[in-house]
Amino acid sequence: MAASTSQHALSSIKLPSTGSFGLEKRTCNVHYVPVGRRCLGARNLGLVCASNSQSSVVESIQLPSSPKSGATPKKSSESALILIRHGESLWNEKNLFTGCVDVPLTPKGVDEAIEAGKRICNIPVDIIYTSSLIRAQMTAMLAMMQHRRKKVPIVVHNESEQAHKWSEIYSEETKKHSIPVITAWQLNERMYGELQGLNKQETADRFGKEQVHEWRRSYDIPPPKGESLEMCAERAVAYFKEQIVPQLVAGKHVMIAAHGNSLRSIIMHLDELTSQEVISLELSTGIPMLYIFKEGKFIRRGSPAGPSEAGVYAYTKNLAQYRQKLDNMIQ
């Protein structure tokens, strides 16, 4: 019943036009196939080193023409995709099941978001996607405030015609110095149902460690009245393919600030992980992951180094040139 409800919800996904920033909804048919060998070792991506061993190929992508200009967006030779799990939340600190309950960051979580921003401060970002939950939005905003380009992240409000009209930006110059932030419930954390708000240790004592472990770490078994990882992946990956991939194909650099399970779902898709591999995948809070989208391939580059460490920016010529451009602007 829950799975069919999730599939029905996916069939009606629509992203309103974000006119304040001149963004259009784009869709395309995307097919991913694995390239190269797959690493089967440790899956804590907060600690993964740079690697060329995993990528995905996008085949036969056709972007629709813009309804306003009639022009097809120009493809860039390379786009950056940054994935960040939100910093520690107040319920993370209290060891409570959080799921889709809207809980803010702790002071430690704020520090983690700021540190994440420092790690990506030399990587270009044109558009930010985040969930509808405040902990992910706080992480996105705090991280972007550390960027050397000093553009202002602005949440796009399209929940109603009035909200869109009232949040309209009328200065083209101001738009140039702003970055649109798109919020989407499809990127929310997995809904933990009747476990939400319960203490994890007390729940294990009540139901047994094996049962709670099955609810938390199995791929297709949901907790009572909640989502399985498989159900979370259905909505998160569908949104990624329909809304975010076309932005990358069009040459936009994208940052996604979301949650452990929605990001695991996207990484499972990008790295062609099996259902058994993804359940052992761990993402550290506040640690960004970098992918390069180039010539139809997603290439995972691991976690960017700190802002004073040049290693990550030498991976590609374009990133090195972007950092040099920022250096020249500040001098």
Side-chain angles (χ1 to χ4, degrees):
M1 175 64 180
S4 62
T5 301
S6 177
Q7 290 170 353
H8 174 73
L10 286 173
S11 67
S12 60
I13 292 174
K14 292 184 179 180
L15 180 67
S17 172
T18 52
S20 293
F21 292 89
L23 297 171
E24 303 294 338
K25 175 184 176 183
R26 299 189 181 99
T27 59
C28 62
N29 295 322
V30 181
H31 175 59
Y32 291 87
V33 296
V35 174
R37 65 180 182 87
R38 180 181 294 143
C39 294
L40 299 176
R43 289 294 182 188
N44 188 325
L45 295 191
L47 302 175
V48 166
C49 297
S51 171
N52 286 322
S53 62
Q54 298 186 60
S55 62
S56 301
V57 174
V58 180
E59 295 183 343
S60 302
I61 294 178
Q62 295 295 330
L63 291 179
S65 297
S66 166
K68 293 184 177 180
S69 65
T72 299
K74 181 180 179 181
K75 288 187 179 181
S76 171
S77 60
E78 178 181 300
S79 297
L81 172 63
I82 302 166
L83 308 179
I84 304 177
R85 182 187 176 192
H86 66 80
E88 181 190 67
S89 75
L90 287 168
W91 278 14
N92 289 147
E93 182 184 49
K94 295 179 182 296
N95 200 33
L96 304 180
F97 286 101
T98 309
C100 288
V101 180
D102 211 357
V103 180
L105 300 179
T106 62
K108 177 183 176 182
V110 169
D111 290 341
E112 288 176 335
I114 291 172
E115 181 60 29
K118 292 178 180 178
R119 286 173 176 263
I120 63 169
C121 69
N122 292 302
I123 301 176
V125 177
D126 297 314
I127 184 170
I128 298 171
Y129 288 88
T130 185
S131 76
S132 65
L133 302 175
I134 189 64
R135 58 191 184 272
Q137 295 177 20
M138 289 177 70
T139 299
M141 295 295 191
L142 290 166
M144 201 61 222
M145 288 170 63
Q146 314 311 311
H147 201 278
R148 295 174 69 195
R149 193 67 181 84
K150 301 301 181 184
K151 288 190 175 184
V152 178
I154 297 178
V155 175
V156 176
H157 286 285
N158 280 320
E159 56 268 31
S160 69
E161 184 177 348
Q162 183 169 322
H164 171 75
K165 183 176 181 180
W166 283 15
S167 61
E168 189 79 25
I169 299 173
Y170 292 95
S171 167
E172 292 301 321
E173 185 63 24
T174 299
K175 288 181 186 179
K176 293 179 183 178
H177 296 282
S178 305
I179 293 182
V181 180
I182 310 298
T183 62
W185 68 266
Q186 293 91 339
L187 299 176
N188 281 9
E189 178 59 286
R190 175 158 73 113
M191 202 274 280
Y192 272 98
E194 293 182 348
L195 299 186
Q196 292 184 167
L198 301 184
N199 180 276
K200 294 178 182 179
Q201 184 57 53
E202 292 175 358
T203 304
D205 294 340
R206 177 182 174 186
F207 294 100
K209 291 183 179 180
E210 290 186 5
Q211 178 63 77
V212 173
H213 182 78
E214 185 177 63
W215 285 335
R216 295 186 66 190
R217 290 305 180 193
S218 65
Y219 181 67
D220 56 1
I221 301 176
K225 298 183 180 180
E227 282 185 309
S228 64
L229 177 57
E230 181 180 33
M231 294 160 66
C232 177
E234 285 180 357
R235 57 173 165 85
V237 173
Y239 185 85
F240 178 80
K241 291 167 66 176
E242 293 170 9
Q243 305 297 338
I244 299 176
V245 168
Q247 298 287 353
L248 294 164
V249 174
K252 298 293 185 181
H253 305 286
V254 177
M255 181 173 85
I256 304 175
H259 307 266
N261 284 297
S262 54
L263 290 176
R264 286 166 73 202
S265 300
I266 291 172
I267 291 170
M268 176 185 181
H269 182 66
L270 295 179
D271 290 352
E272 291 287 331
L273 304 181
T274 67
S275 59
Q276 290 301 309
E277 289 173 323
V278 74
I279 61 177
S280 63
L281 178 64
E282 295 289 346
L283 300 179
S284 300
T285 55
I287 301 295
M289 281 296 303
L290 175 65
Y291 284 79
I292 299 298
F293 180 74
K294 184 175 183 180
E295 297 178 354
K297 298 179 182 180
F298 281 98
I299 306 169
R300 180 159 58 85
R301 294 300 193 185
S303 179
S308 62
E309 302 175 48
V312 69
Y313 307 107
Y315 284 137
T316 70
K317 181 179 180 181
N318 286 5
L319 285 184
Q321 290 176 339
Y322 182 80
R323 179 170 182 168
Q324 185 61 52
K325 179 181 177 180
L326 291 175
D327 290 340
N328 294 339
M329 289 173 60
I330 293 176
Q331 290 176 356

